[in-house]
Amino acid sequence: MVSYYVSTQPQSNGEHPVHRSGCEHLPDEPHRVFLGAFVDCHEAVKSAKRHFPYANGCAVCLQECHSG
């Protein structure tokens, strides 16, 4: 299982990106929420949407969960 985080700061398009642990775009600690450990990114994004309805997978570390 992998640890996932969601950014508390929206991007210019209003989306809150979800990142895998170790992503080069993972925000610093005060600007992210730990979502938990999940088997896949789809579950992590689903969890993030409970906090931020416009959550989306990071285009770099979660390409398979990024909707464009």
Side-chain angles (χ1 to χ4, degrees):
M1 297 224 291
V2 178
S3 295
Y4 293 90
Y5 299 84
V6 62
S7 174
T8 59
Q9 297 180 314
Q11 296 178 325
S12 60
N13 63 3
E15 292 181 340
H16 291 264
V18 176
H19 301 275
R20 184 176 307 190
S21 180
C23 176
E24 63 187 65
H25 296 284
L26 183 65
D28 291 331
E29 198 143 337
H31 304 290
R32 67 185 185 205
V33 172
F34 176 64
L35 295 170
F38 297 92
V39 175
D40 63 46
C41 62
H42 299 287
E43 289 300 315
V45 172
K46 183 177 175 182
S47 176
K49 287 186 179 207
R50 292 184 199 130
H51 301 276
F52 304 103
Y54 298 108
N56 192 6
C58 171
V60 175
C61 69
L62 298 179
Q63 292 176 357
E64 65 272 26
C65 288
H66 177 75
S67 58

